[in-house]
Amino acid sequence: MTVKQLTLPELADACGVLGVRNVGLWREPVQRYGVEAAAKLVRDAGLTVTTLCRGGFLTALDAEARARALDDNRRAVDEAATLGTDTLVLVSGGLPPGSKDLYGARERIADALAELGPYAESHGVRLAIEPLHPMYAADRCVVSTLTQALDLAERFPAHQVGVTVDTYHVWWDDRAPEQIARAGASGRIHTFQLADWTTPLPEGVLNGRGQIGDGSIDMREWKGYVEAAGYTGAIEVELFNDPLWARDGREVLEETAARFVEHVMR
Amino acid sequence: MTVKQLTLPELADACGVLGVRNVGLWREPVQRYGVEAAAKLVRDAGLTVTTLCRGGFLTALDAEARARALDDNRRAVDEAATLGTDTLVLVSGGLPPGSKDLYGARERIADALAELGPYAESHGVRLAIEPLHPMYAADRCVVSTLTQALDLAERFPAHQVGVTVDTYHVWWDDRAPEQIARAGASGRIHTFQLADWTTPLPEGVLNGRGQIGDGSIDMREWKGYVEAAGYTGAIEVELFNDPLWARDGREVLEETAARFVEHVMR
């Protein structure tokens, strides 16, 4: 998503040029390209798919909308399995129209996970609940903290349901470090994503995720937390950022790799 | 601030017409009108000043900026005392330029409160730390939750330092109800403010506080929490909202009073 201006073949090629061996994919470009074809493309390029983003949106009150969401999530599991990744990231969904009941919405997510967890397991896929920043609680994700995400995940086996740790969403939360330790202790850190916090936030607050090093988040500090919790998986950089999307994708990918080396690896 | 398009005399008159007997004031219009003159105006109109907004911005690293902030906060205490309110709301301040250290910034707030608390007490004024929504953590307020605000406040006597509970900032937080109880138990709910959560958020996310009833927050639920915690003070409606500011101020005040009756009192 960081370089969504690139087609999948351009992305695979650019990764090869830079020596990037892992890539997180989003469903929409994969579906447009064809899931089987995308799987072959990344396989042939020697790329490992770290995660597929995203399933979720599991908070509907209406029975029909709920059934559609479950169907769509089963398809997302199938796509993840075809791509060869073991992790499907879930953005849980916001409040249904007219509802003010955050608690009820969270319980409906748990109900959905009880159906989706075993389905995912049978396809070799783990679900990774992503707590989103509290500014998305109404319209995108009623799961706002790692604490809430783990309270949900721990109702299920770790190989079915874990969490996504994304610096952009948790950096402000002084409880997050201890919750990362909690997640690690039960093997539930299913992926670790980076974006920096920059201000002012843009209208709608969706596409303001800052390039690594441009904002207020100490990336090494958060890498330290997940490593101390036993995480050894890939680290994803996930930027939604209109100015970055308006630039040449290969240049943005190169810049992002350089920032990663400077602010995360060193 | 909800009707900042009104001058102070217009505001006092409009409150009289509507039977509103309490008003929260902001420093800037009071300073422009003159603090003594504003105090006389509201007194003559039979209005009680619930709180003065706002002091704070106490996170500077630089010694000179820090001294200036403390001076300004002592002036804010003086102004509150002159206006006859016992509560000064504090917006603590964001990260200094270049800093990524939320913890250090919070400790500098504690250091400042140790100086300002006794000064406020000697003027009959209580300081009310306002946790702001986590989306303001970088640039406005490193105190993002009631838990953090109370951790700071409880280092001082309750008649020196308490908290502001504002629905807009805490509605997403499933720990907030228990923290309101915690605040009430030690007499630290120094004011209770309302705004509704509406989306999409505007650029900069400052002026998107929704009119009561327009958004995702159950106002009665939160009123119930503060009342159960023993709060018997005034309830303030504090909206920063460009479309509301563009309308006739008396009409907005009347609408706000009607919404208050419909969504809070009934």
Side-chain angles (χ1 to χ4, degrees):
Chain A
M1 187 53 73
T2 303
V3 286
K4 73 169 184 178
Q5 61 270 57
L6 297 180
T7 64
L8 284 180
E10 288 170 346
L11 175 65
D13 182 63
C15 284
V17 170
L18 285 169
V20 172
R21 297 176 183 281
N22 301 286
V23 65
L25 296 178
W26 275 57
R27 293 183 69 195
E28 294 73 9
V30 166
Q31 289 171 348
R32 279 198 302 270
Y33 192 78
V35 183
E36 293 283 356
K40 182 174 188 319
L41 175 80
V42 294
R43 203 166 48 236
D44 291 350
L47 282 166
T48 298
V49 180
T50 51
T51 63
L52 181 66
C53 280
R54 59 181 199 234
F57 293 91
L58 300 167
T59 54
L61 280 162
D62 167 61
E64 201 183 324
R66 182 162 186 75
R68 272 201 309 275
L70 289 172
D71 278 349
D72 185 58
N73 275 274
R74 282 186 283 264
R75 272 197 303 279
V77 168
D78 299 343
E79 292 163 12
T82 301
L83 291 168
T85 177
D86 63 358
T87 303
L88 175 66
V89 175
L90 301 184
V91 170
S92 298
L95 290 171
S99 170
K100 305 185 183 194
D101 180 15
L102 290 170
Y103 299 86
R106 291 182 194 126
E107 284 308 306
R108 290 195 296 284
I109 296 164
D111 294 344
L113 292 173
E115 296 198 35
L116 295 173
Y119 183 86
E121 181 182 2
S122 71
H123 289 71
V125 174
R126 309 173 303 180
L127 306 173
I129 304 171
E130 181 165 11
L132 257 56
H133 192 285
M135 68 187 177
Y136 301 114
D139 56 356
R140 192 151 292 263
C141 187
V142 296
V143 179
S144 302
T145 62
L146 276 171
T147 313
Q148 292 172 348
L150 285 164
D151 287 349
L152 280 168
E154 287 177 355
R155 302 191 198 182
F156 307 97
H159 59 273
Q160 287 186 3
V161 187
V163 300
T164 298
V165 177
D166 184 316
T167 57
Y168 191 76
H169 298 305
V170 306
W171 78 282
W172 59 272
D173 183 3
D174 53 5
R175 299 182 84 202
E178 83 199 25
Q179 296 299 308
I180 288 173
R182 174 186 167 193
S186 59
R188 291 183 196 270
I189 305 177
H190 288 183
T191 185
F192 176 46
Q193 301 182 331
L194 308 181
D196 214 337
W197 185 270
T198 51
T199 57
L201 294 167
E203 184 183 356
V205 301
L206 270 182
N207 301 331
R209 293 169 65 100
Q211 176 62 280
I212 307 305
D214 281 353
S216 304
I217 305 177
D218 184 335
M219 297 297 164
R220 274 187 208 85
E221 179 188 345
W222 292 95
K223 178 169 172 256
Y225 295 139
V226 299
E227 285 181 350
Y231 184 73
T232 56
I235 303 178
E236 303 182 296
V237 178
E238 188 187 58
L239 312 178
F240 309 167
N241 185 305
D242 287 318
L244 289 181
W245 287 334
R247 287 170 49 193
D248 176 83
R250 288 171 185 269
E251 183 191 300
V252 171
L253 194 63
E254 192 176 344
E255 174 186 288
T256 304
R259 294 295 186 95
F260 189 89
V261 170
E262 183 184 351
H263 294 279
V264 185
M265 288 178 68
R266 263 186 208 148
Chain B
M1 187 53 74
T2 302
V3 286
K4 73 169 184 178
Q5 61 271 59
L6 297 181
T7 64
L8 284 181
E10 287 169 347
L11 175 66
D13 182 62
C15 285
V17 169
L18 286 169
V20 173
R21 296 175 184 280
N22 302 286
V23 66
L25 296 178
W26 275 56
R27 294 182 70 194
E28 294 73 9
V30 166
Q31 289 171 346
R32 279 197 303 271
Y33 192 78
V35 183
E36 294 283 354
K40 181 174 188 320
L41 176 81
V42 293
R43 201 166 51 236
D44 291 351
L47 282 165
T48 299
V49 180
T50 50
T51 63
L52 181 65
C53 281
R54 59 184 198 231
F57 294 91
L58 300 168
T59 53
L61 280 162
D62 168 61
E64 199 184 326
R66 181 163 186 75
R68 272 200 310 273
L70 289 172
D71 278 349
D72 185 58
N73 277 274
R74 281 186 284 264
R75 271 197 302 278
V77 167
D78 299 344
E79 292 163 11
T82 301
L83 291 167
T85 177
D86 63 359
T87 303
L88 175 66
V89 175
L90 300 185
V91 171
S92 299
L95 291 171
S99 170
K100 305 186 182 193
D101 179 14
L102 290 171
Y103 299 86
R106 291 183 195 125
E107 285 307 305
R108 290 194 296 283
I109 296 164
D111 293 345
L113 292 173
E115 296 198 35
L116 294 173
Y119 183 85
E121 181 182 4
S122 71
H123 289 72
V125 174
R126 309 173 304 180
L127 306 173
I129 304 171
E130 181 165 11
L132 256 57
H133 192 284
M135 68 187 177
Y136 302 113
D139 56 356
R140 192 152 291 265
C141 186
V142 296
V143 179
S144 301
T145 62
L146 275 171
T147 313
Q148 292 172 348
L150 284 164
D151 287 349
L152 280 168
E154 287 177 356
R155 303 191 197 181
F156 308 96
H159 59 273
Q160 287 185 3
V161 186
V163 299
T164 298
V165 177
D166 183 317
T167 56
Y168 191 76
H169 298 305
V170 306
W171 78 281
W172 59 272
D173 182 4
D174 52 6
R175 299 183 83 204
E178 83 199 26
Q179 296 299 308
I180 288 173
R182 173 186 168 193
S186 59
R188 291 183 197 268
I189 305 177
H190 288 182
T191 184
F192 176 47
Q193 300 181 333
L194 308 181
D196 214 337
W197 184 270
T198 52
T199 56
L201 294 167
E203 184 183 356
V205 301
L206 270 183
N207 301 331
R209 293 169 64 100
Q211 177 61 280
I212 306 305
D214 281 353
S216 303
I217 305 177
D218 184 335
M219 297 297 163
R220 274 186 207 85
E221 179 187 344
W222 292 95
K223 178 169 172 255
Y225 295 138
V226 299
E227 285 181 350
Y231 184 74
T232 57
I235 303 178
E236 302 181 298
V237 179
E238 188 188 57
L239 312 178
F240 309 165
N241 185 305
D242 287 319
L244 290 181
W245 286 335
R247 287 169 50 194
D248 176 82
R250 289 171 183 269
E251 184 191 299
V252 171
L253 194 64
E254 191 175 346
E255 174 187 288
T256 303
R259 294 294 186 94
F260 189 88
V261 169
E262 183 183 352
H263 295 278
V264 184
M265 288 178 69
R266 264 187 206 146

